Amino acid sequence: MKPDLDTLFEGLEKGDKRSAGRILTLLEDRGPESTELLRRLYASERRSLVAGVTGWPGVGKSSLITRMARVYLDQGKRVGIVAVDPTSPFSGGGILGDRIRFRDIDGRENLFIRSVATRGHHGGLSRSARSFVKVMEAMGCDVVLLETVGVGQDQVNISLIADTTVVVVAPGLGDFLQAMKSGVLEAGDIFVVNKADRPDADKAIQYLESAIRMRERAGWRPPVVKTVAADGSGVDTLVREIGNHAAHCSLETGEVSLKLRAARDEIKEALKTRLLEYLFGGDALEDSPVSRYARQVCERRADPYLLADAILAEKGITQDIS
């Protein structure tokens, strides 16, 4: 049965969680209604404070987000959480653990949580993450907290979606050295040393402060905040710093270039989607000619680049566009 988009959007704008959940499912399934849904979402004038929380697995991101959400909820704000989960390379499914990770706050009236699997999308995010944030904005969330699966080198796409990017590390030299290598240092607007009750926390803070001492973008120098998510210590300070960064960015301080970069990224994603739909008729990648050609690559009878050229040639697309 074809969904009634008018009714769904009316429910969404009233904050109805069931309508929001139905829209999120339609978007994630990338069905025929998804384009119209996205157009309506982008036409919405509602905006949220979007804070992205990233860092390596095990640093306590989920616990920290739970504490942050509780602070915002206690302030009377409506909060949305988008938790990005890894996808199994074997089954293609995701471990959608939102009810497990956020069980301490799940069920609050002004809270809406949704997990989404990466489905092979790089950057610690899901392809659907941006549209999920748009849904939560349209339903009236004051704050949207976006959690990545945990980043590695160059996986800093969260900065293209979030207004404020919070990078979380735990005490230990390894995390700091990894951050130096990966470029996350350049993406972070606020740095958090979680589990700051550990003996080596002060050393981690010193390392971070030294690394970002000369780093300033558009007049903003990233602060380093100590937290202990287990008992909530320092979380009020973190929330306050997120507010400070949001206020700083609202002053037209040069963040326009970052927003333009984000807009370019959105257009590129839309072009990729349209191109794949054109090439494969809207079929899932697993059911497309790619699956047939994959055996040739496995058997070393062809390489991916020659096959990509062949697929494009079948559609009359050539590399010579002059």
Side-chain angles (χ1 to χ4, degrees):
M1 183 176 180
K2 187 176 181 179
D4 184 344
L5 299 188
D6 291 334
T7 300
L8 283 177
F9 254 85
E10 183 180 348
L12 178 70
E13 292 180 338
K14 291 179 179 178
D16 179 57
K17 294 181 181 181
R18 182 171 296 181
S19 297
R22 177 64 175 144
I23 290 174
L24 290 171
T25 298
L26 290 170
L27 289 171
E28 191 169 16
D29 291 344
R30 308 186 73 82
E33 305 87 3
S34 60
T35 298
E36 177 60 25
L37 285 170
L38 287 169
R39 286 174 178 160
R40 295 192 184 203
L41 289 170
Y42 273 88
S44 174
E45 296 181 356
R46 291 180 174 178
R47 295 292 180 266
S48 307
L49 170 59
V50 183
V53 180
T54 189
W56 289 264
V59 296
K61 297 189 299 296
S62 297
S63 298
L64 191 63
I65 287 176
T66 297
R67 291 287 183 178
M68 292 166 63
R70 186 175 293 166
V71 171
Y72 285 120
L73 289 167
D74 289 345
Q75 292 175 354
K77 291 182 168 59
R78 173 170 286 182
V79 179
I81 297 177
V82 180
V84 183
D85 286 298
T87 301
S88 168
F90 303 104
S91 68
I95 304 174
L96 306 182
D98 52 344
R99 294 299 182 268
I100 298 173
R101 286 181 289 174
F102 305 114
R103 60 181 178 272
D104 291 342
I105 54 173
D106 186 30
R108 296 280 290 266
E109 182 179 353
N110 286 337
L111 176 69
F112 183 63
I113 306 173
R114 183 65 176 237
S115 288
V116 57
T118 58
R119 300 190 187 281
H121 198 62
H122 298 294
L125 292 175
S126 161
R127 182 186 299 171
S128 304
R130 183 179 274 116
S131 58
F132 277 32
V133 170
K134 295 290 184 186
V135 170
M136 293 187 179
E137 286 186 318
M139 75 181 297
C141 289
D142 301 296
V143 179
V144 177
L145 302 176
L146 175 60
E147 179 191 8
T148 70
V149 296
V151 297
Q153 295 190 359
D154 298 323
Q155 296 189 10
V156 292
N157 290 355
I158 194 169
S159 64
L160 297 177
I161 300 179
D163 301 312
T164 299
T165 300
V166 179
V167 177
V168 185
V169 301
L173 187 61
D175 285 339
F176 172 74
L177 292 178
Q178 183 72 1
M180 288 291 289
K181 294 176 183 177
S182 69
V184 175
L185 225 59
E186 285 73 28
D189 298 305
I190 299 171
F191 291 87
V192 173
V193 176
N194 193 31
K195 305 180 183 181
D197 51 345
R198 291 184 179 180
D200 50 351
D202 289 337
K203 183 179 292 186
I205 293 168
Q206 291 173 7
Y207 280 137
L208 275 173
E209 289 179 339
S210 175
I212 64 178
R213 185 172 294 131
M214 303 302 294
R215 212 218 89 186
E216 185 173 306
R217 185 177 65 205
W220 175 263
R221 181 174 296 175
V224 179
V225 179
K226 291 196 304 183
T227 64
V228 182
D231 62 14
S233 300
V235 176
D236 286 333
T237 301
L238 172 58
V239 168
R240 186 165 59 249
E241 289 291 0
I242 292 173
N244 290 340
H245 182 256
H248 173 81
C249 293
S250 69
L251 299 176
E252 299 293 336
T253 54
E255 290 294 315
V256 175
S257 60
L258 187 60
K259 293 186 182 300
L260 287 173
R261 180 184 165 202
R264 288 196 298 268
D265 185 69
E266 290 185 71
I267 295 172
K268 284 167 61 178
E269 285 295 325
L271 283 171
K272 289 177 186 176
T273 300
R274 286 288 179 270
L275 182 58
L276 287 172
E277 289 174 351
Y278 173 70
L279 289 174
F280 305 130
D283 294 331
L285 205 58
E286 291 79 5
D287 301 325
S288 71
V290 172
S291 295
R292 299 198 306 269
Y293 291 128
R295 182 172 293 277
Q296 297 182 33
V297 175
C298 290
E299 295 174 352
R300 302 292 181 91
R301 292 187 287 115
D303 66 76
Y305 301 97
L306 281 175
L307 291 174
D309 289 341
I311 293 171
L312 291 174
E314 287 178 4
K315 293 290 184 177
I317 303 174
T318 65
Q319 294 187 21
D320 183 8
I321 60 173
S322 57

